[in-house]
Amino acid sequence: MSFAVTILGSSSAKPTATRHPSAQVVNIHEQHYLVDAGEGTQQQMARAGINPLKLRAVFISHLHGDHVYGLFPLLSTLGLYGRRTPLPIYAPAPLGEILTAHLRYFDSDLPYETEWHEVRTTEHTLLLENRTLEVWSIPLRHRIATAGYLFHEKTPPLNVDKFKIAKYGLTIAQIAAAKRGEAVTLDTGETIPNEELTYLPYRPRTYAYLSDTAYSAKAAELAAGADLMYHEATYAAAERKTARQRGHSTTEDAAKAALRAGAGRLIIGHYSSRYKDEQVLVDEARELFPETYPAVEGSTFMIEKRRPDSGADKNR
């Protein structure tokens, strides 16, 4: 089962000739979720080969234009593509008002419904849950109400050890019971504990998206154990005063957050346009957190399955 993050945009407010504003697609078990939607998002999805009709939901971190301007043309295009299923949109207020106005003036006859769900940016709340996934909000520290998002894979079903099946001569019904986490009673009357028969095939995986924010120890702690973390790094460490004034982070802030969270890997992005080469920012973050990688547009970060007793995956 796949768990991957595709970078569509890596620029801060001012786009450049080579960088688009913030947008990512998270693919969990072939369920696609758009996270932020800066200008040009649908073109970037096309370049990455991502079918917009596969989107299950949209998550917007905050209502600065470089994170939301690409949402409205995408809604129109989905109508042209013939989407029929409702599209949930999770975002802080007052996106509901903005969305209502857009639909009234531009998309009054969409063939599908848009469902806005308000994200309360001061709360760590479960927003979406299905059979394989939970998505939680993470309060962030920016100039306006802003939330990050934590994508947490649910624990996979237990596997039954094939050697134990043969050893105890388990029936189909007994195998099914073991998969449900139950102990199994043999025909002899002996009861075999579930942990003797089963094993967890892999550990649940987690992705933390920490968008525009000053350094927040609380946010890092809420993302504890993330296999992969995205954290904005708008500025180099020397610009820490500017970062604080504007509610943003430096490379050092992002690295500190990853260290505090115990993250497996760190992606940094949301670069200021003053930096023509993001490698200088990556190198700076790596001084504190070696497993730092740039948010290169079009790149995909896989979160591989790990054995329950293994450490965080370090392979990109």
Side-chain angles (χ1 to χ4, degrees):
M1 294 291 184
S2 60
F3 196 142
V5 178
T6 298
I7 308 298
L8 303 180
S10 62
S11 179
S12 57
K14 182 181 177 182
T16 73
T18 57
R19 300 185 191 128
H20 293 73
S22 296
Q24 300 181 8
V25 170
V26 180
N27 176 358
I28 303 176
H29 299 196
E30 296 309 311
Q31 302 171 29
H32 292 70
Y33 301 93
L34 177 64
V35 187
D36 277 339
E39 184 179 354
T41 290
Q42 58 180 332
Q43 290 95 333
Q44 289 293 85
M45 289 179 68
R47 292 186 181 102
I50 298 171
N51 183 349
L53 289 176
K54 289 186 175 182
L55 291 178
R56 293 288 191 96
V58 177
F59 294 88
I60 302 296
S61 63
H62 64 295
L63 301 187
H64 278 160
D66 57 324
H67 294 257
V68 74
Y69 282 163
L71 173 63
F72 307 105
L74 175 62
L75 297 179
S76 297
T77 301
L78 287 172
L80 295 176
Y81 285 169
R83 184 186 181 100
R84 294 292 184 271
T85 56
L87 180 65
I89 301 172
Y90 297 83
L95 183 70
E97 298 175 31
I98 300 168
L99 186 59
T100 297
H102 169 80
L103 295 175
R104 180 187 305 125
Y105 291 108
F106 296 101
D107 282 317
S108 59
D109 59 349
L110 285 180
Y112 66 95
E113 294 183 10
T114 57
E115 301 174 345
W116 173 57
H117 301 266
E118 181 179 355
V119 176
R120 300 184 183 276
T121 59
T122 60
E123 301 175 2
H124 177 53
T125 304
L126 179 62
L127 303 173
L128 178 151
E129 182 178 16
N130 57 34
R131 290 188 304 105
T132 58
L133 172 71
E134 294 178 350
V135 183
W136 293 76
S137 60
I138 296 180
L140 297 179
R141 296 173 52 207
H142 193 38
R143 300 195 306 277
I144 65 171
T146 305
Y149 296 105
L150 184 70
F151 293 81
H152 182 68
E153 182 181 39
K154 287 189 173 180
T155 302
L158 293 169
N159 281 354
V160 181
D161 188 328
K162 62 181 181 181
F163 296 106
K164 299 299 174 65
I165 294 175
K167 176 180 178 179
Y168 294 111
L170 299 182
T171 65
I172 293 176
Q174 289 170 329
I175 292 171
K179 283 181 172 288
R180 293 194 298 268
E182 301 171 10
V184 171
T185 300
L186 305 178
D187 293 342
T188 61
E190 180 185 4
T191 298
I192 310 300
N194 184 265
E195 56 269 24
E196 164 73 11
L197 302 173
T198 64
Y199 63 94
L200 194 66
Y202 59 91
R203 289 171 49 192
R205 296 163 285 183
T206 305
Y207 174 59
Y209 177 85
L210 304 186
S211 172
D212 295 21
T213 185
Y215 173 77
S216 170
K218 178 182 178 182
E221 289 164 3
L222 291 174
D227 299 282
L228 182 64
M229 172 189 284
Y230 169 85
H231 197 293
E232 72 122 296
T234 307
Y235 300 104
E239 302 294 328
R240 59 180 60 88
K241 181 178 179 180
T242 300
R244 284 196 297 269
Q245 290 172 342
R246 299 180 180 179
H248 285 296
S249 288
T250 66
T251 53
E252 285 185 351
D253 293 329
K256 282 170 53 183
L259 284 169
R260 192 176 189 95
R265 288 174 294 162
L266 171 66
I267 308 169
I268 59 171
H270 200 265
Y271 314 118
S272 168
S273 60
R274 72 184 66 184
Y275 303 106
K276 307 307 179 186
D277 182 2
E278 66 269 14
Q279 192 60 44
V280 297
L281 301 175
V282 174
D283 290 343
E284 197 168 73
R286 282 177 175 169
E287 292 178 10
L288 285 178
F289 193 82
E291 290 295 328
T292 300
Y293 300 91
V296 177
E297 297 184 13
S299 63
T300 296
F301 292 82
M302 303 294 297
I303 306 178
E304 303 294 346
K305 293 179 181 177
R306 308 164 335 277
R307 291 177 57 87
D309 57 351
S310 70
D313 173 69
K314 299 290 186 180
N315 299 316
R316 182 176 173 184

